[in-house]
Amino acid sequence: MMGDAASIARAVAGGELRASEVLEQTLQRIAERDPALNAFTALTVARARDKARRIDALRAEGAPLPPLAGVPYAVKNLFDVAGLTTLAGSRLLASQPPAAADAVLVQRMEQAGAVLVGTLNMDEFAYGFTTENSHVGPTRNPHAPTHSAGGSSGGSAAAVAAGLVPLSLGSDTNGSIRVPASLCGIFGLKPSFGALPRGGSYPFVYSLDHVGPFARSVEDLACCHAALLGRARPVELDGEPPRVAMLGGYFEQHAGAQARRAAQEAARALGARDQVEFGAAAAARAAAFVITACEGSQLHLDHLREQYEQMEPLSRDRLAAGAMLPAAAYIRAQRVRGLAREQARQLFERFDLLVAPATPVCAQPLGSESFELDGRRLPTRANMGLLTQPISCIGLPVVAAPVRGPVGELPLGVQLIAAPGREAVALRAARLLERAGLSVVRATEDMA
C-alpha cells in the first residue's frame, strides 16, 4: 500500500523520497494490480517521468516545492489530457483528435506539483452508476472483485481504494462521485455547483455537472480540493462541532438496514440530536431525472441519429427516451428544483450539516439488474443514486465518508451535506468522524 498524498509530499519536500522513486513504485503497483481491477484506460508514463524528474531537479537546487510535489494522481477519462483523445468512456470519440491542452483542473493539479499517471474507466458519457463499460470492460470493486465499483466515476474510486494512486479526479452529475466513494469505502467530495471550473471536461448535463476529488483521508481530500481551487493551503480542519441533524423521511425509507445504521452512527458521533425531513427530496430526484434526460439527450442527438448501434447499450435507450420529452417537462423540473433549493435553505437556517446515507445498499455483483431494498426489487442502474440525486439537483456540497461496519460487510458511506459554499463544514465533520475511528478506509485484498 502506498502512502497518503500529504505524507508523500512531505517526504519529497524533505528529501526523504525522490519523486521519481514514488512514480516508479506507483507504475509497478498499477502494472501488478490493475489488470484484475480494470481502473485505468491509459497511462501517461513519459509525461509522468518528465514531471517527476523536474520535481527532483527543483529539490536538488533547493527551490521551494509546490504543495503536492511528487504525488501521483489519475483522472476520469472525461478530463482533457494533452496528447490523449478524451474518450468520456465511449468508443464513439476514439477517432477524435488528441486534446491540445489539459483540462483546467488538470492544469491546477500540475501547478500544485502532482504527477499525472493516467486516465480512468467510467460509464459511457457518465450515464450510469456501475462502470460496467461494454467497450473496455467493467471496473471491479477492490474489496470484492465480482462486484461493482459504482459509477460513473468507478475507475477513479477503485484506483484510490486499491492504493494505486492516493488521489484521483471524477465528476458527479447525479451521484457519480458519492456512489463509488461509498461502494469502494473511501472519501469523495462533490463541491457546490459551479465552485470548480469544468473547462476541458466532457459534459453530460450542463446544469447538474460537478467535478471533484477522491482520497483515502480527509487531509488528502482537503489538500486536493485546495489545489483544485488554486490555493496553496487547504482549509483548516479543526474547529467547533457543527449543528448537525440527520435526514429522515425519504432518506430513511430508501435506505437498507446497513445504510440506515451507518447514517445513525455517523450522526450520533457528530452529536446530532434532531432528525429532520427534506420534504422535497422525492420531487427533487424526479426533477433531476427529467433534467438529466433532456439535457443529456440533446447533447448526444447526433450520436443517437447516426451511431446508435455503437453506443453503450446500457444508456442509449434512456438517452433516446429523453429526446422525446416535451419542453414543458423540463421547465417544470427546473421550477421544482427552485422549490427544493428553498426548502434546503430553510433547513440550513437551523443546522450547519445534514447527515444521510450515500447509497441504499452496498456494492452489488457485476451484471445485477436489480437489488433488494426492504423486500422490494429495484433496478440497479437507476436506483444506486436514490439518495444522491435529490442533493445533486440543488447543487449542495457533500463529502462522502466511509463508515466502519462489521467484519465481512462490504463498505458503505454517508453523505455529509452542507449549505452552498460551505465545503469546509463538511470536511471538518468528516475529520471528526475520522478521528473518532468511525470513518476508516479499509485495506483491500491483493488482486494481482
Side-chain angles (χ1 to χ4, degrees):
M1 183 66 64
M2 76 184 315
D4 59 88
S7 296
I8 291 171
R10 285 191 287 265
V12 170
E16 301 162 27
L17 280 175
R18 290 188 300 112
S20 297
E21 293 173 339
V22 175
L23 172 62
E24 294 308 319
Q25 292 170 7
T26 299
L27 294 175
Q28 180 179 352
R29 191 163 41 250
I30 292 170
E32 291 172 350
R33 299 198 67 187
D34 192 58
L37 194 66
N38 198 35
F40 280 83
T41 54
L43 294 176
T44 53
V45 177
R47 169 179 172 151
R49 284 176 172 155
D50 178 66
K51 180 64 178 291
R53 281 194 295 267
R54 285 188 280 119
I55 291 169
D56 289 336
L58 283 174
R59 175 67 181 78
E61 295 167 4
L65 297 183
L68 293 179
V71 176
Y73 78 106
V75 300
K76 189 174 183 175
N77 72 23
L78 55 66
F79 288 93
D80 286 352
V81 173
L84 293 183
T85 295
T86 305
L87 298 174
S90 177
R91 66 181 178 189
L92 275 65
L93 304 182
S95 61
Q96 297 296 308
D102 290 338
V104 174
L105 293 189
V106 176
Q107 293 176 27
R108 291 186 178 179
M109 290 292 283
E110 293 294 307
Q111 291 162 5
V115 179
L116 181 69
V117 298
T119 58
L120 298 159
N121 199 7
M122 59 180 284
D123 289 288
E124 184 179 67
F125 297 132
Y127 204 179
F129 284 125
T130 62
T131 312
E132 292 178 89
N133 189 299
S134 66
H135 307 310
V136 298
T139 292
R140 299 178 179 276
N141 193 306
H143 298 276
T146 58
H147 287 57
S148 167
S152 64
S153 307
S156 300
V160 171
L164 304 187
V165 286
L167 300 173
S168 67
L169 302 186
S171 68
D172 189 311
T173 300
N174 287 299
S176 290
I177 287 175
R178 291 158 291 158
V179 168
S182 175
L183 301 187
C184 290
I186 59 170
F187 295 94
L189 170 63
K190 182 194 81 65
S192 304
F193 180 74
L196 292 177
R198 300 179 304 193
S201 62
Y202 195 90
F204 176 29
V205 181
Y206 285 105
S207 67
L208 291 175
D209 288 348
H210 303 67
V211 284
F214 293 88
R216 295 178 59 85
S217 72
V218 181
E219 181 183 13
D220 282 5
L221 196 68
C223 288
C224 189
H225 183 231
L228 297 177
L229 288 168
R231 297 176 183 170
R233 296 176 63 84
V235 64
E236 176 57 56
L237 292 175
D238 293 321
E240 292 297 316
R243 298 172 300 167
V244 182
M246 180 174 167
L247 283 177
Y250 174 94
F251 293 91
E252 189 172 31
Q253 296 158 12
H254 294 89
Q258 182 187 355
R260 291 195 298 270
R261 184 179 67 241
Q264 290 163 358
E265 291 182 358
R268 189 180 307 115
L270 292 171
R273 297 182 179 179
D274 296 279
Q275 180 168 299
V276 297
E277 290 195 23
F278 175 34
R285 184 184 184 231
F289 264 125
V290 172
I291 294 167
T292 298
C294 289
E295 292 193 29
S297 63
Q298 291 304 306
L299 182 66
H300 294 292
L301 273 180
D302 288 344
H303 291 144
L304 289 167
R305 289 168 176 158
E306 301 168 10
Q307 296 171 290
Y308 182 82
E309 293 301 325
Q310 287 75 50
M311 295 181 73
E312 171 63 71
L314 301 178
S315 60
R316 64 191 180 193
D317 289 347
R318 287 183 290 158
L319 287 170
M324 294 182 279
L325 284 171
Y330 180 80
I331 293 169
R332 185 175 181 184
Q334 292 288 8
R335 288 174 179 164
V336 168
R337 188 182 192 183
L339 294 171
R341 189 178 290 118
E342 173 58 20
Q343 280 196 16
R345 186 195 65 76
Q346 293 174 14
L347 284 174
F348 286 116
E349 290 179 349
R350 300 168 53 201
F351 303 100
D352 302 308
L353 188 85
L354 304 173
V355 179
T359 48
V361 292
C362 62
Q364 299 298 293
L366 290 166
S368 297
E369 293 298 327
S370 64
F371 63 85
E372 184 172 336
L373 182 63
D374 291 340
R376 297 169 289 159
R377 298 297 304 183
L378 300 177
T380 301
R381 294 181 187 93
N383 288 290
M384 289 307 284
L386 260 171
L387 305 171
T388 53
Q389 281 180 287
I391 309 305
S392 300
C393 186
I394 52 178
L396 301 177
V398 186
V399 169
V403 173
R404 184 191 61 220
V407 175
E409 281 190 354
L410 289 175
L412 193 145
V414 295
Q415 297 183 86
L416 305 175
I417 308 161
R422 304 293 302 280
E423 283 84 347
V425 171
L427 286 164
R428 287 170 187 150
R431 181 67 155 177
L432 288 171
L433 294 180
E434 190 178 47
R435 285 177 172 167
L438 189 61
S439 280
V440 177
V441 175
R442 305 182 198 172
T444 57
E445 295 298 323
D446 188 356
M447 295 175 60

